[in-house]
Every structure is written in C-alpha cells, then in structure tokens.
Amino acid sequence: MLITKSTILNEGQKLLLPSTFSDVTFRLLFGNSDLFQGIQLNTPITYKLQHNSGVAWYILDACLMKMKCGECAEFRINYLDQLIMVKLHMEDFKLAPDTWEMSVEQKHSLAAEMKLLGTNLLRGKEYLLAAEKYGLALKLLISDGCRAQSMDNHEEKISLIRMNMSLCFMKLNAYDGVIYHSKFILDCLENADVAVKIPKCQDLIIKTLYRRAWAYCQINEFEKCKSDISRVLELDPDNGETSKLLSVVESRVKQNDRKMSNNLRSMFR
C-alpha cells in the first residue's frame, strides 16, 4: 500500500504522532470505497492500532499513524492499483509503550495477538495484510532482551512466524522476501540444539528449502535452485512437488542455453 498524497485540512494540537499500538479515537468523515461500508461516518470510534483485521483497518492504521491529535486530513492511497480516498479527523490518542518499555510477557502476549490476526488474514487470502501482522509479531519477539529472557520454545515461535511470512511472500510473488526469511529459518532449524526441541523439524526444513528453491527458480538463479532441490530430495526422495519443480528448472535451463547459443551465433555472423 502507498499513501500517494496527504492534505492537512486542520492543523493538530500536539507534535507527537501515534505509535504502532496506540489507542486512538477518530472519525471517518469520507471514504470512497465499499471497504468502509461497515464503519459509520462522522461517529467517534476508539480502537487500538493494528488490532483489527481487514483492508479498511489496514488503510486506517496507515493514515492515523501520520496524524496529530485534533488534526483533520485527506489521504489518497494506492492499494493494489485501486485509488482510495479517505478524510479523517483524529480526536485523540494515547501513546502505547515502546518495545523497550514492555516486559517480556507483554511482548509475547502482543506477538501472539499479531500472529493470530496474521493467521486469520492468511486463511482469508489477504497475504499482504497477513505479512504485516506477522512482521509486527516478529519485531516484538526479536527485540532487545526478549530472546535472552524467553522460554525454550522461543526460537520455534520465531521460525513458525517466518514460515508463515515466507508463504505470504510466495503468494505475493515477492521472491526476495521468501529467500530472506528462508535463510533465517534454515539457520535456526539446522541448529542441532534448537532442532531437537521442534516437532517435525525435518518437515519444516523440507518445506523451507522447497519454497526457497521455487523463489530462486523465478529469478533464474538455477544453480542455487537446484542445490536446494537436491537437499530436499536427499531428505525426501519421493517429494512430488520438488520433482516437478526440478523438471521446470531443467526445461528453463535448456531454454536459456538455446537462447544464449542463438545470441552468440548472431554476434559472429
């Protein structure tokens, strides 16, 4: 999502902007999309930022985090090539504590809420929104002090969130995101001290390697792709999806070789 333009109609009263999980009270004065049908116009609404799911709340979160108390503003938003316009009035907000001010228990509780919202969005095929919620959960779990003071299954929690994020990026054809998170997942799961604590660890490794191989295939990194495919087939020789991917890769390699050969011939004619 991209806010392409914002126009302040009435200046706010304070300098501060809401933080990620602030409690806000606002009025929706105008919205040009059916996405806002369930939200009553010009009525005070109080909620905690990032704690609702759905595209409308995703847009409202992004806009309200740019508004001062008492401010009235119009926003133009590009969401999946759809131009959306909203007019909002920020009545008031209460700043949430920064992550460094939270206890480990608070971080885990809030991360669990974000993960649940992400999972519900993932099931509803709202992959972009789901990835954002998982990203918030991940940020909480890897924040300073959280890892050092957390329980034994902390690394498992992080790996499972990254697994879900990589699936979201796969569905969005965001290849770099799949590759990025896969590296961290494999670094964790292939650590013997961690692996013994994670049920079905090998299945997760296979799934991660397959997703990364798929992403490498899409960006024509065929050697890296085949390396991950080989590792999957060593662990699971009967993995049908990976065998299909190998056939696709071999076909694309041949096509690229033919194309390169033809280009070389044309150069020396």
Side-chain angles (χ1 to χ4, degrees):
M1 188 192 76
L2 178 66
I3 296 177
T4 57
K5 184 179 180 182
S6 60
T7 304
I8 297 174
L9 304 176
N10 288 313
E11 290 284 349
Q13 302 160 355
K14 301 176 183 177
L15 295 176
L16 292 175
L17 299 174
S19 52
T20 305
F21 302 111
S22 294
D23 292 299
V24 301
T25 300
F26 76 99
R27 293 174 188 261
L28 174 65
L29 304 178
F30 171 78
N32 74 330
S33 171
D34 292 342
L35 295 170
F36 303 106
Q37 276 188 344
I39 302 174
Q40 193 168 353
L41 291 177
N42 204 24
T43 301
I45 298 168
T46 300
Y47 84 111
K48 189 182 290 290
L49 291 174
Q50 304 294 346
H51 278 67
N52 283 323
S53 59
V55 177
W57 294 103
Y58 174 61
I59 291 168
L60 291 172
D61 283 345
C63 295
L64 290 166
M65 287 184 69
K66 296 181 177 295
M67 296 183 69
K68 299 172 186 175
C69 183
E71 186 173 288
C72 182
E74 288 182 340
F75 296 89
R76 290 173 178 261
I77 301 105
N78 186 335
Y79 179 77
L80 299 179
D81 296 325
Q82 179 184 358
L83 179 62
I84 296 171
M85 300 173 62
V86 292
K87 182 178 177 182
L88 300 167
H89 181 260
M90 173 69 87
E91 303 254 319
D92 197 10
F93 64 83
K94 179 182 177 183
L95 282 174
D98 289 323
T99 53
W100 60 269
E101 298 176 288
M102 298 180 188
S103 68
V104 172
E105 291 75 18
Q106 286 176 312
K107 290 178 183 178
H108 276 279
S109 175
L110 193 50
E113 291 180 48
M114 294 299 106
K115 181 176 181 289
L116 179 59
L117 284 170
T119 300
N120 290 336
L121 288 163
L122 178 58
R123 288 172 180 158
K125 300 183 179 181
E126 294 285 0
Y127 303 119
L128 185 62
L129 278 64
E132 185 200 33
K133 300 301 181 189
Y134 286 133
L136 290 170
L138 182 63
K139 184 178 178 181
L140 288 160
L141 293 179
I142 65 175
S143 59
D144 290 345
C146 195
R147 267 192 162 124
Q149 302 175 46
S150 292
M151 53 206 74
D152 286 343
N153 67 341
H154 188 67
E155 296 302 324
E156 179 188 356
K157 284 184 177 182
I158 291 174
S159 293
L160 292 176
I161 287 171
R162 287 193 187 276
M163 289 283 295
N164 288 343
M165 289 184 78
S166 74
L167 177 58
C168 292
F169 289 129
M170 192 175 183
K171 296 294 187 181
L172 293 165
N173 291 328
Y175 314 123
D176 288 346
V178 177
I179 293 166
Y180 175 82
H181 287 287
S182 295
K183 178 189 181 300
F184 287 98
I185 296 165
L186 293 169
D187 286 347
C188 176
L189 297 181
E190 291 175 339
N191 181 321
D193 293 335
V194 175
V196 295
K197 302 173 185 177
I198 299 179
K200 298 183 178 179
C201 182
Q202 182 166 297
D203 291 347
L204 298 178
I205 291 173
I206 289 169
K207 191 176 290 187
T208 301
L209 285 168
Y210 171 79
R211 288 177 184 170
R212 189 169 70 174
W214 172 86
Y216 279 139
C217 179
Q218 307 310 309
I219 59 174
N220 296 336
E221 291 276 4
F222 297 125
E223 291 305 314
K224 291 178 180 179
C225 175
K226 287 195 286 186
S227 175
D228 281 349
I229 287 173
S230 295
R231 292 176 65 188
V232 172
L233 295 176
E234 284 174 12
L235 296 169
D236 182 11
D238 298 323
N239 191 297
E241 287 299 310
T242 305
S243 297
K244 288 178 186 176
L245 180 59
L246 180 58
S247 298
V248 171
V249 173
E250 289 174 340
S251 174
R252 290 192 183 181
V253 169
K254 288 178 181 176
Q255 288 175 4
N256 279 9
D257 287 346
R258 282 196 298 269
K259 185 176 180 181
M260 187 177 296
S261 178
N262 290 336
N263 288 341
L264 287 171
R265 284 198 199 98
S266 64
M267 287 173 63
F268 293 103
R269 281 177 183 170

